[in-house]
């Protein structure tokens, strides 16, 4: 599958000149809409000249602004595509199910192209017990938020899964501030209520982290940490496998960051379970406590 331009720009940031990098950051901050206006509008927002914008897109391999915008429009269409629209482009090539191979490739490509240091930085942030962690997801990604919260809650205190009806989210939002971290799971088609929750939390001083797809949720504009995953497969449905892989790496990293603390909490939880239900003592042989 064709590599998203967004991903290529992030990977190549160090290749650009200082002014070209300003253009790149402006585009990444409002992708792809920033590039769909005029050259002059793009230049004004980025704080650079129009010739700099043209040099920037030339360095990306596009002979002109029209070709660059054609690519952006194609990616915007991919963002907005519904499962029904994607199903119309499925092709049976008669050579077996290509789904499994693409799943494996998605995980490999996701970790090959994650922004440098983002994983480690987010692990350190989530390991800081002075912070309260809130995890939230959308229609298809809430399960990932719940799964991650359930594991993190075992190895560190003050972990909250923002769940249930949207009206109940406000009760949790009012207490969020500078000592909080909001981890958002959001993939296409991005949910307005998830974006609004993240924006409100950021305005109240919280640090926002985003686990998203290659096209990037609008939450990326306010997120301090962004982890994009490959989700496209030969199916009407996007895959969550690479998103789950990121979640599991984060869980393992937080557990490893302070292993003594994690083991202490596991022992305390095991003792509590045995006290509440003595019949379970000695029957647990794995980490699922």
């Amino acid at each position: 599958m064709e590599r998203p331009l967004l991903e290529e720009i992030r990977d190549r940031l160090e290749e650009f000149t200082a002014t070209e990098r300003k253009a790149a950051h402006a585009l990444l901050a409002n992708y792809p809409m920033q590039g769909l206006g005029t050259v002059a509008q793009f230049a004004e927002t980025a704080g650079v000249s129009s010739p700099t914008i043209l040099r920037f897109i030339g360095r990306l391999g596009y002979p002109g602004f029209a070709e660059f915008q054609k690519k952006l429009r194609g990616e915007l269409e991919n963002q907005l595509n519904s499962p029904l629209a994607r199903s119309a482009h499925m092709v049976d090539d008669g050579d077996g199910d290509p789904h499994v191979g693409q799943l494996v490739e998605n995980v490999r490509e996701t970790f090959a192209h994650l922004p440098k240091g983002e994983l480690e930085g987010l692990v350190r942030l989530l390991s800081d017990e002075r912070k309260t962690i809130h995890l939230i997801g959308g229609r298809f990604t809430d399960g990932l938020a719940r799964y991650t919260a359930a594991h993190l809650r075992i190895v560190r205190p003050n972990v909250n899964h923002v769940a249930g009806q949207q009206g109940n989210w406000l009760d949790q939002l009012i207490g969020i501030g500078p000592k909080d971290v909001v981890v958002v799971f959001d993939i296409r088609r991005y949910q307005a209520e998830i974006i609004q929750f993240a924006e409100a939390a950021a305005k109240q001083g919280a640090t926002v982290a985003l686990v998203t797809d290659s096209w990037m949720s609008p939450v990326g504009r306010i997120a301090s940490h962004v982890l994009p995953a490959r989700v496209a497969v030969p199916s009407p449905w996007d895959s969550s496998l690479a998103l789950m892989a990121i979640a599991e790496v984060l869980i393992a990293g937080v557990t490893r960051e302070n292993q003594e603390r994690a083991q202490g909490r596991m022992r305390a939880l095991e003792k509590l379970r045995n006290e509440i239900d003595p019949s379970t003592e000695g029957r647990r042989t794995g980490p699922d406590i």
Side-chain angles (χ1 to χ4, degrees):
M1 294 186 180
E2 188 177 3
R3 186 182 182 196
L5 178 60
L6 182 75
E7 192 174 90
E8 181 181 353
I9 293 171
R10 284 196 300 259
D11 282 356
R12 296 180 57 188
L13 276 175
E14 297 305 315
E15 297 179 19
F16 303 138
T17 66
T19 52
E20 289 169 353
R21 202 172 298 127
K22 290 177 70 175
H25 283 304
L27 179 59
L28 292 175
N30 186 20
Y31 188 89
M33 305 308 296
Q34 180 60 51
L36 294 177
T38 65
V39 174
Q41 289 168 334
F42 191 170
E44 182 179 1
T45 302
V48 298
S49 66
S50 293
T52 294
I53 298 299
L54 297 176
R55 285 195 299 271
F56 167 63
I57 66 171
R59 193 180 293 272
L60 290 172
Y62 297 93
F65 200 61
E67 291 81 3
F68 171 70
Q69 289 191 319
K70 182 179 179 181
K71 171 68 173 176
L72 294 182
R73 291 190 186 97
E75 295 205 354
L76 180 60
E77 183 179 347
N78 283 335
Q79 284 185 16
L80 300 176
N81 267 350
S82 67
L84 177 61
R86 292 197 290 275
S87 69
H89 298 287
M90 291 180 63
V91 176
D92 184 357
D93 60 8
D95 193 27
D97 186 354
H99 200 111
V100 174
Q102 189 60 53
L103 288 173
V104 174
E105 182 68 7
N106 280 355
V107 174
R108 190 189 69 79
E109 286 292 305
T110 292
F111 286 94
H113 297 290
L114 278 181
K116 201 171 185 178
E118 284 290 86
L119 262 178
E120 293 84 354
L122 185 51
V123 164
R124 287 193 296 272
L125 183 64
L126 298 181
S127 300
D128 186 350
E129 291 191 8
R130 296 170 297 181
K131 303 285 189 180
T132 297
I133 311 300
H134 308 267
L135 299 104
I136 187 170
R139 181 182 177 193
F140 294 112
T141 53
D142 177 67
L144 293 165
R146 182 172 63 250
Y147 177 88
T148 307
H151 282 78
L152 291 182
R153 200 177 292 126
I154 293 172
V155 300
R156 57 148 294 162
N158 302 320
V159 177
N160 175 44
H161 173 217
V162 182
Q165 296 180 355
Q166 183 186 353
N168 294 333
W169 296 359
L170 301 180
D171 302 341
Q172 301 174 60
L173 183 60
I174 58 174
I176 291 177
K179 293 184 178 180
D180 295 85
V181 178
V182 176
V183 181
V184 178
F185 291 83
D186 190 32
I187 62 173
R188 64 179 185 179
R189 303 149 70 183
Y190 313 112
Q191 290 185 227
E193 61 269 28
I194 298 290
I195 299 165
Q196 290 162 3
F197 184 94
E199 290 175 341
K203 285 180 181 177
Q204 293 172 197
T207 301
V208 176
L210 172 66
V211 182
T212 186
D213 53 32
S214 298
W215 300 279
M216 195 181 296
S217 162
V219 174
R221 295 195 292 266
I222 57 168
S224 300
H225 299 272
V226 178
L227 301 177
R230 295 291 182 91
V231 301
V233 287
S235 162
W237 311 106
D238 283 335
S239 166
S240 293
L241 184 62
L243 298 164
M244 174 64 83
I246 288 176
E248 294 204 348
V249 169
L250 291 173
I251 293 165
V254 173
T255 304
R256 191 168 50 245
E257 189 75 9
N258 192 332
Q259 197 163 355
E260 186 175 340
R261 172 202 62 197
Q263 290 177 346
R265 287 180 62 86
M266 289 179 186
R267 283 192 293 268
L269 181 56
E270 190 70 18
K271 181 182 178 186
L272 185 60
R273 287 187 185 278
N274 290 334
E275 288 173 351
I276 293 174
D277 184 4
S279 67
T280 64
E281 188 168 5
R283 293 207 317 232
R284 301 180 194 276
T285 58
D288 182 12
I289 59 173

